[in-house]
Amino acid sequence: MQQLHRSQARASFGASRAASRVGVIPRAAAAPATAKIIDGKAIAATITQEIKAEVQAMQKEHGVTPGLAVVLVGMRKDSQAYVNSKKKSCAEVGFASFGTDLAEDATEEAVLKVVQDYNADPNVHGILVQLPMPKHINERRVLDAIDLVKDVDGFHPTNIGQLGMRGLEPLFVPCTPAGCMELLERSGVKIAGKRAVVVGRSNIVGLPAAMLLQNRDATVTVVHSRTPNGAEICREADIVIAACGVAEMVKGDWIKEGAAVIDVGINAVDDPTAKKGYRLVGDVKFDEASLKAAFITPVPGGVGPMTIAMLMRNTIEGAKAAIKRTKKN
């Protein structure tokens, strides 16, 4: 099974369990669902074309090509597949793609040296270290070594801190939560003044998603593993972002009539009828929730494609910031 971007794959239920309307398409007439499907693939494709045009303009005006560096440690097949998908996305939008693959037994110091070299390379505007890394490597130490201005994953404490403070703008917003907001906004879902519930409080998805919704003037509640009445709270929400990492936890009776539902989760469940012996489902019981919601994302094909699209967006923003810094100097 392919590995997801870490922003999505590591969303957990609680800390203990570690705009145009393009892309909104009605379900087939034969289907019982009433919700409109938010087509993440179509919206991501639109964003990709927007970025491609920006890259061409940047090259013409400034002679700069945005560069993304990906560091991979080990030989995990899923990690390799995902790194390849990032390289493919870079080629599609016209980015320069840099990559360093290190052996499974590479030392932590060797990984840090690679990060430091990319920090110093002016042709690299974004650095992403593919997770998970081998257990002998301190992931936090490696991630913290990434230069703040190249932290295109948006997980640096400074970026998260600025996201949570009124009047401040982070250099980068974590990719999956940013993708959730794009899906809502490009689908014409009103956020300001609405009640929003985020199911899950991970540092990677849940908490930044809650902060983004609040910054758009929603009234936000976070439901987590210690919340005694999560279903009741969700039933009051106009917007639900499910990022708990529990297959089909959010049932149809959790959803308010006419709500917008963004399903971040992706879980493999056994299915003997499927070719691979399993199928992918989200954190939302889709067939039930789609009878109540006005908008809903599918799994797969909803949030997933947006994560890489927003990674590309963060990288070109990093390149724009680098151009500004160069002009000041």
Side-chain angles (χ1 to χ4, degrees), residues 108-130:
E108 186 173 309
E109 295 305 318
V111 180
L112 288 169
K113 177 64 167 57
V114 170
V115 170
Q116 290 161 1
D117 288 345
Y118 283 136
N119 282 341
D121 188 340
N123 295 312
V124 173
H125 305 102
I127 302 170
L128 189 145
V129 177
Q130 185 66 37

Side-chain angles (χ1 to χ4, degrees), residues 141-182:
R141 186 181 178 211
V142 172
L143 296 178
D144 286 350
I146 297 173
D147 192 324
L148 176 63
V149 300
K150 299 186 181 187
D151 172 42
V152 288
D153 250 346
F155 296 140
H156 192 285
T158 299
N159 277 322
I160 295 296
Q162 290 180 335
L163 180 62
M165 297 182 69
R166 291 178 62 83
L168 292 178
E169 291 288 337
L171 292 175
F172 304 105
V173 174
C175 300
T176 298
C180 293
M181 299 303 294
E182 286 283 334

Side-chain angles (χ1 to χ4, degrees), residues 59 63 67 116 135 147 152 176 182 185 191 197 201 244 251 264 287 295 320 327:
Q59 291 169 331
Q116 290 161 1
K135 293 182 179 180
D147 192 324
V152 288
T176 298
E182 286 283 334
E185 292 172 344
I191 299 173
V197 168
R201 57 180 174 179
C244 56
K251 311 299 184 187
V264 178
D287 57 348
F295 297 88
K320 291 177 184 177
K327 287 183 176 179

Side-chain angles (χ1 to χ4, degrees), residues 3 10 71-74 76 79 102 104 108 111 115 129-143:
Q3 184 187 37
R10 304 182 87 195
V71 181
L72 175 64
V73 185
R76 286 176 59 114
S79 290
L102 298 173
E104 183 81 20
E108 186 173 309
V111 180
V115 170
V129 177
Q130 185 66 37
L131 299 182
M133 285 188 282
K135 293 182 179 180
H136 68 277
I137 294 176
N138 184 333
E139 290 183 352
R140 187 71 262 166
R141 186 181 178 211
V142 172
L143 296 178

Side-chain angles (χ1 to χ4, degrees), residues 228-264:
N229 56 339
E232 179 182 340
I233 293 171
C234 276
R235 279 193 287 269
E236 299 177 353
D238 303 298
I239 299 167
V240 175
I241 295 181
C244 56
V246 180
E248 299 182 327
M249 178 174 175
V250 179
K251 311 299 184 187
D253 62 3
W254 290 38
I255 304 301
K256 176 182 176 180
E257 290 281 354
V261 179
I262 305 295
D263 191 350
V264 178

